[in-house]
Amino acid sequence: MGRILRFSAVIGLLASIALPTWSQTLSNTPPRTKVTLSTRLEQSLAEGTLAPQVQIKANPYSGQSQKPLDLELSAGASGEFLLAPGRWVLEAEVQGYWTPPVQLEVGSDPLHRELIFWPTGVLTGGFAALPRGEPAPSEILLFFRPEPTKRAAKKGPPPGRVGCSLDKDLLFQCEPPAGQMDLRIVVKGFVPRFAWAINVKAGKSKNLGRTDLARGSSVLGWVQTEDGDAAAKAELELRPFGGETLRVNAKRQRLKERHRRAKTNAKGFFQIDDLPPGAYVLEARLEPYAPATTTVRITEYQVTEVTNPPLVLERPKILTSFVSPPVDPWEQQWTLELQRIDRKSSQVLETLRESVGLDGVCEITGLSPAFYSAQLISSRGDSWASEAVEIGSDNVNLEIGMEIVEVRGTVQLGEEPLVAELFFGGRFGAVRLATKSGDQGRFQLYLPRQGDWQVSVQAAEPSVSRDFGKVKVKVKASSLVARVDLYLDNTRLRGRVVDVLQNPVEDAWVNFSSQEDDSSQTLQKESDANGIFEFQGLSVGRGLVSAEAAGRRYSQPRVVEILEQAEEQEELTLTVEEQVRIDGRIGSAIGAVPGVRVKAAPVQLPYLGVGVVTSDAQGRFQLYVSPAAKEIHLAVSPPGFAFRMLRLPIPEDGQMVIGVEQSHASLTIEVEPPIDWTDTRGPKVYLLHQGGVEPLTVLLGWAQMQGVHTDSSSTFEIPTLEPGSYTACLASSQERPGLELGVLPSKRCD
């Protein structure tokens, strides 16, 4: 029976300020689409007063070949543009009024937009003397917004920003819309200053007085309770990330000296200034609520905001676990380990441990609502069970049931027994049980279940590293013990790593991935002082091998044929060379976007792994690609914006600008019959869009970042995608190159 894929999609728009952005599109003088605009003044005009004139400009996003267009009409009247399909931004001006810019995604269907204009007032103020040697600021921005709580008033203009003028005496003047709002004054490179509950009256002027300007980095944001109230007088602690895991007291003390503390004001707002760059954990506490925690990255002379969403304090919860059997195979107590995970960074924020009672019950109290990873640890330190736990508004019960299975077996390399370490569940698996084989290659251990297991075999002499992707563990009816015998081909892959001058390269990592066995793991070896490396016990058949060395030097991946007779295997030479550097920048409607994960893979070239980088506070990132690459696939994961996948040529000047948008779509994929995730060699779901090709696993990783988790193997929801045309295909890894060329598997795409 063939597989069937079905699509359903929902289009949406993330709430935000709409301002110009960067993007990359192509245009070949397309037909025009009618865009009708109506205008409305929020404040009625006095009788007999002429309606003011509205100046509207339609600007194409950078990268488009279209020219800006202008339109003039009276407030309250309607007009129209004829725009080429693509992305545009509308900016409108009326003397004495303000309206936010409007983004348009122009297609073939006519569009209508209403522009609402709010009357403005005038705010004046100034700065005290600048620090010695500091030039006068070239740009001042005034941000305005209501309080970010559920109970905030929804009347008045939306959040936004306006530019301000500055004279030689450091006095500024801004014209925001009228209303009572909180203000933030931003001068690039300086710590922002705030003014609270300022009542701006239409046509009137208000003086904010003078404030100081200070260089430095800061983190700021809002804390509220689960009821939507501002968390006044909540205690904030900002501490360097990772300090809790240090074992050396002197190092822990040095990090402790970098802790910063603050309290929220009556509005639940906090600001911590004068911070050295680095990664931090931010924690808010207020009785009787459980702590709220997130991770932040501080960049020099930049402001890091924790505002959307704010930190939310919720009442503490209880996790009760029920474990069966109640004790481990050695009649000792289990330990339940609970790790709180930050969804943004996937970092562990806190680790809690509690012994499981002899009755199999364990209770952990005082928990913050969050995402957790729970592991059941035996008295010998192995992880027997791993569960993802979402703690929300209610207490949680966790049931862990296991079948204790005794396993005995042997390990052989060719015809000889092998002394090795064995890891059932893999070397890095969440469930991981270790044992060793003796001189005769025999081993014994207990497992929590029957079924298929990934098993890693590691030996020092001979040097063997091998992963089995699917080892069947089954107790026969005539026995109480499961029998597992592992056989490794007596193969050898030997070679040398050199640079472009043919000099040997020491300490290079050589990566090997088999295309024949049922494991998707990549094996690694280091080259010695002569550049020599060697793998033993590999699967007979095809594999992919490459090397990476210091200085961002990589070899082109090579396809090799592993032979059954080790002495007949030809030695391999891998030449590492410097990669091509690409300097990129992520832009959006609100400026540069930090914290964006960018994954890049070469088009039509074999590769063992792909690079993933994260944009800094200015939205900048760097990629390194093979000199042989002509194009790259990009997967762009921007928090708060739509996921993008695209295919781009390698830029000749090494510069790349990528726009991210807040227009988004939600996509649901159904697969029949369900996917067998344990079958590493089976067909995979790939998504195609704008020439990009990404496996479903990448999209599911993005969905998890958005808080969407699924245990299904047949229905998958992917939120917050860039709108547009997508194709999904079920294809094998051998068919992946064809997808890049547009060759789609028959009857396996939708």
Side-chain angles (χ1 to χ4, degrees):
M1 177 179 176
R3 290 181 183 265
I4 302 173
L5 293 98
R6 297 191 183 95
F7 269 136
S8 63
V10 178
I11 306 300
L13 182 66
L14 295 173
S16 71
I17 307 167
L19 295 174
T21 186
W22 298 271
S23 184
Q24 295 177 336
T25 59
L26 298 175
S27 175
N28 294 314
T29 316
R32 304 280 170 164
T33 299
K34 181 190 292 187
V35 178
T36 305
L37 303 175
S38 58
T39 60
R40 174 166 62 88
L41 299 181
E42 186 64 22
Q43 185 182 67
S44 300
L45 294 170
E47 188 174 348
T49 304
L50 293 176
Q53 291 298 105
V54 180
Q55 307 291 331
I56 305 174
K57 182 179 289 290
N59 293 305
Y61 285 27
S62 67
Q64 294 182 192
S65 59
Q66 307 301 319
K67 294 181 179 179
L69 299 174
D70 296 301
L71 177 67
E72 182 176 348
L73 64 158
S74 298
S78 298
E80 65 180 42
F81 281 112
L82 292 177
L83 300 179
R87 295 174 178 173
W88 296 77
V89 61
L90 302 180
E91 295 178 300
E93 292 184 2
V94 179
Q95 183 66 33
Y97 291 85
W98 173 87
T99 190
V102 175
Q103 296 181 73
L104 292 177
E105 186 77 31
V106 179
S108 58
D109 296 330
L111 295 176
H112 173 263
R113 291 291 184 273
E114 182 183 41
L115 303 180
I116 303 175
F117 296 87
W118 282 268
T120 59
V122 177
L123 288 177
T124 60
F127 300 116
L130 291 168
R132 178 174 295 182
E134 288 284 358
S138 59
E139 181 184 47
I140 299 174
L141 295 175
L142 179 73
F143 289 80
F144 47 86
R145 60 173 296 167
E147 296 173 297
T149 67
K150 296 177 184 176
R151 296 182 179 180
K154 296 183 179 180
K155 296 181 179 180
R161 70 179 187 182
V162 294
C164 307
S165 61
L166 183 73
D167 65 18
K168 59 183 179 59
D169 296 320
L170 301 181
L171 297 176
F172 62 79
Q173 179 173 306
C174 320
E175 296 186 18
Q180 184 157 317
M181 60 192 73
D182 296 330
L183 307 174
R184 179 173 65 166
I185 303 168
V186 176
V187 180
K188 187 176 182 180
F190 292 88
V191 175
R193 295 299 181 226
F194 290 81
W196 307 104
I198 301 299
N199 189 13
V200 180
K201 295 183 178 180
K204 304 293 184 180
S205 180
K206 186 177 185 66
N207 193 300
L208 299 176
R210 285 185 181 262
T211 185
D212 65 316
L213 279 178
R215 284 281 186 188
S217 304
S218 65
V219 59
L220 55 88
W222 306 81
V223 184
Q224 67 183 52
T225 69
E226 63 182 3
D227 302 314
D229 296 320
K233 297 184 179 180
E235 296 182 350
L236 278 297
E237 182 182 57
L238 189 71
R239 55 183 183 267
F241 180 80
E244 296 84 352
T245 62
L246 292 176
R247 299 182 181 272
V248 181
N249 287 335
K251 291 183 178 180
R252 294 187 67 173
Q253 184 60 36
R254 284 198 296 271
L255 282 180
K256 195 171 183 179
E257 293 172 358
R258 292 173 60 186
H259 287 204
R260 298 288 190 273
R261 290 178 172 81
K263 284 190 176 183
T264 57
N265 63 14
K267 295 177 175 290
F269 175 82
F270 68 89
Q271 181 171 340
I272 306 174
D273 299 333
D274 192 24
L275 298 170
Y280 291 81
V281 175
L282 178 66
E283 184 174 81
R285 291 179 177 269
L286 179 66
E287 293 292 341
Y289 300 97
T293 312
T294 188
T295 55
V296 294
R297 179 168 293 278
I298 306 299
T299 305
E300 189 174 19
Y301 298 140
Q302 298 296 323
V303 176
T304 301
E305 296 191 43
V306 185
T307 56
N308 188 21
L311 280 173
V312 178
L313 294 166
E314 301 188 52
R315 292 171 179 81
K317 304 299 184 292
I318 300 172
L319 172 72
T320 305
S321 64
F322 303 90
V323 182
S324 176
V327 293
D328 71 15
W330 303 276
E331 301 296 323
Q332 301 296 313
Q333 287 179 277
W334 300 104
T335 297
L336 185 67
E337 181 178 276
L338 202 60
Q339 293 184 329
R340 182 153 52 104
I341 310 295
D342 177 55
R343 277 225 171 103
K344 293 190 304 181
S345 62
S346 298
Q347 301 287 350
V348 177
L349 300 178
E350 180 182 33
T351 300
L352 303 170
R353 292 180 181 88
E354 192 70 42
S355 295
V356 178
L358 295 177
D359 59 354
V361 178
C362 176
E363 186 174 270
I364 301 179
T365 61
L367 297 176
S368 303
F371 179 74
Y372 292 84
S373 174
Q375 285 192 313
L376 189 68
I377 311 297
S378 73
S379 59
R380 298 194 176 184
D382 288 322
S383 174
W384 278 65
S386 179
E387 299 284 347
V389 181
E390 184 85 34
I391 297 181
S393 57
D394 299 315
N395 297 328
V396 172
N397 291 337
L398 175 63
E399 295 186 8
I400 301 176
M402 296 169 293
E403 172 192 10
I404 303 298
V405 181
E406 184 179 358
V407 179
R408 295 178 185 176
T410 60
V411 187
Q412 283 185 277
L413 177 64
E415 301 302 321
E416 298 296 324
L418 182 66
V419 178
E421 289 185 287
L422 290 83
F423 302 96
F424 279 72
R427 289 170 291 171
F428 312 108
V431 176
R432 176 180 177 273
L433 299 102
T435 188
K436 293 182 179 180
S437 59
D439 292 342
Q440 301 302 313
R442 296 192 183 98
F443 67 88
Q444 183 269 346
L445 82 161
Y446 293 98
L447 295 178
R449 62 171 176 82
Q450 300 184 65
D452 293 331
W453 284 84
Q454 178 179 318
V455 180
S456 296
V457 179
Q458 305 289 314
E461 186 60 43
S463 179
V464 172
S465 179
R466 172 77 177 276
D467 291 331
F468 294 85
K470 190 182 287 189
V471 174
K472 186 169 290 297
V473 175
K474 184 174 178 59
V475 179
K476 294 183 178 180
S478 60
S479 174
L480 298 176
V481 178
R483 183 76 190 182
V484 172
D485 294 309
L486 301 173
Y487 177 82
L488 287 75
D489 296 308
N490 188 17
T491 57
R492 178 182 288 109
L493 175 63
R494 182 179 172 87
R496 187 165 175 257
V497 182
V498 298
D499 61 20
V500 292
L501 299 177
Q502 299 303 298
N503 298 315
V505 178
E506 184 180 3
D507 296 332
W509 281 107
V510 181
N511 304 296
F512 176 86
S513 178
S514 174
Q515 297 179 352
E516 302 295 338
D517 62 27
D518 54 4
S519 172
S520 60
Q521 297 293 317
T522 297
L523 304 177
Q524 287 189 320
K525 293 285 185 178
E526 271 191 292
S527 61
D528 63 17
N530 297 313
I532 301 297
F533 66 88
E534 184 176 88
F535 292 92
Q536 287 185 258
L538 301 175
S539 298
V540 172
R542 285 195 163 200
L544 203 61
V545 63
S546 68
E548 54 184 290
R552 298 189 182 276
R553 294 176 297 165
Y554 297 83
S555 73
Q556 186 66 24
R558 296 270 300 275
V559 176
V560 294
E561 189 77 30
I562 304 300
L563 304 178
E564 192 168 356
Q565 300 298 323
E567 62 274 8
E568 297 179 6
Q569 189 75 46
E570 181 182 351
E571 290 199 355
L572 193 67
T573 299
L574 300 176
T575 303
V576 294
E577 56 184 338
E578 290 187 10
Q579 303 294 281
V580 174
R581 172 176 156 178
I582 298 174
D583 292 307
R585 181 164 55 91
I586 306 290
S588 78
I590 54 176
V593 184
V596 179
R597 291 168 60 86
V598 181
K599 180 181 79 70
V603 175
Q604 290 294 300
L605 288 178
Y607 58 86
L608 278 169
V610 295
V612 179
V613 297
T614 303
S615 63
D616 64 15
Q618 289 80 40
R620 299 173 303 196
F621 64 89
Q622 289 181 350
L623 295 174
Y624 292 85
V625 298
S626 168
K630 303 300 181 185
E631 295 180 291
I632 52 175
H633 290 298
L634 292 177
V636 184
S637 305
F641 298 83
F643 177 93
R644 293 197 70 188
M645 49 185 291
L646 58 162
R647 175 173 172 168
L648 297 174
I650 303 297
E652 292 184 3
D653 60 358
Q655 303 293 315
M656 178 181 292
V657 178
I658 300 174
V660 293
E661 304 296 336
Q662 294 176 319
S663 300
H664 73 282
S666 176
L667 177 67
T668 300
I669 301 176
E670 297 179 6
V671 186
E672 298 177 3
I675 296 174
D676 179 6
W677 293 110
T678 65
D679 184 4
T680 57
R681 299 181 66 186
K684 298 177 177 61
V685 177
Y686 292 93
L687 209 63
L688 287 69
H689 174 64
Q690 289 192 341
V693 180
E694 294 294 338
L696 177 62
T697 50
V698 170
L699 280 299
L700 292 179
W702 166 252
Q704 185 173 357
M705 289 176 62
Q706 308 308 299
V708 176
H709 300 266
T710 179
D711 296 326
S712 171
S713 57
S714 59
T715 302
F716 309 97
E717 179 187 353
I718 314 297
T720 325
L721 291 176
E722 177 184 34
S725 177
Y726 289 80
T727 299
C729 291
L730 275 160
S732 66
S733 57
Q734 288 77 17
E735 292 173 312
R736 165 69 189 263
L739 297 179
E740 297 181 354
L741 294 172
V743 180
L744 305 185
S746 176
K747 299 182 180 179
R748 284 184 280 130
C749 293
D750 190 9

